[in-house]
């Protein structure tokens, strides 16, 4: 089976109903832990492991603040301070999507400088449970 490549332009990110103008995103990455069960009888003097639990890691994005940035900042800071779990939806331009729940661990506004510069921010979240992937 051949999977066709597609452009990331047009990808949208929604956090708890708030849509962002994302510049870049890092999607969750599934990892399985390894449990060391090495013992004095382990064969060939080698470590032994059994499969541990799955973890989806972190999600992060850099984004531009739109015109309603004060309201968006207040909403995200409230979410961060109150430990709210949010629904995250990444929708790709080919129609596919990734959906997961998580809580915000970082929300920052980048340095603002003189000149032709847009105000940018960064959001990072810890993913809870398994993300759901929907193909195009």
């Amino acid at each position: 089976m051949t999977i066709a490549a597609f452009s990331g332009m047009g990808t949208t990110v929604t956090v708890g109903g708030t849509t962002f103008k994302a510049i870049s995103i890092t999607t969750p990455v599934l990892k399985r832990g390894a449990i060391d069960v090495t013992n004095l009888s382990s064969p060939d003097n080698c470590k032994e492991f059994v499969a541990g639990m799955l973890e989806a890691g972190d999600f992060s994005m850099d984004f531009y603040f739109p015109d309603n940035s004060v309201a968006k900042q207040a909403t995200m800071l409230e979410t961060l301070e109150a430990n709210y779990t949010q629904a995250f939806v990444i929708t790709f331009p080919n129609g596919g999507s990734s959906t997961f729940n998580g809580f915000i661990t970082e929300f920052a506004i980048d340095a603002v400088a003189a000149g032709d510069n847009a105000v940018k921010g960064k959001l990072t979240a810890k993913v809870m449970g398994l993300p759901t992937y929907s193909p195009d």
Side-chain angles (χ1 to χ4, degrees):
M1 175 166 122
T2 302
I3 298 175
F6 62 93
S7 171
M9 294 302 294
T11 299
T12 62
V13 177
T14 304
V15 179
T18 301
T19 302
F20 285 84
K21 293 186 179 287
I23 301 166
S24 65
I25 60 172
T26 302
T27 61
V29 176
L30 283 178
K31 299 181 279 186
R32 180 171 299 279
I35 301 168
D36 187 342
V37 293
T38 306
N39 58 74
L40 295 174
S41 299
S42 292
D44 301 320
N45 197 30
C46 288
K47 287 190 169 202
E48 294 182 274
F49 298 91
V50 295
M53 298 178 72
L54 287 173
E55 178 188 344
D58 293 330
F59 162 81
S60 65
M61 73 173 166
D62 294 317
F63 60 92
Y64 288 118
F65 273 95
D67 294 340
N68 64 343
S69 61
V70 174
K72 186 173 289 189
Q73 180 181 358
T75 300
M76 291 303 114
L77 288 174
E78 176 186 343
T79 300
L80 174 62
E81 292 170 6
N83 300 323
Y84 292 150
T85 298
Q86 295 286 319
F88 290 75
V89 180
I90 303 167
T91 306
F92 299 101
N94 71 345
S97 65
S98 175
T99 305
F100 54 91
N101 289 325
F103 58 91
I104 297 172
T105 57
E106 177 185 7
F107 186 79
I109 300 170
D110 291 352
V112 179
D116 293 334
N117 297 304
V119 178
K120 299 176 189 175
K122 179 179 178 91
L123 182 145
T124 305
K126 176 58 78 178
V127 179
M128 299 168 51
L130 283 176
T132 301
Y133 299 99
S134 299
D136 55 338

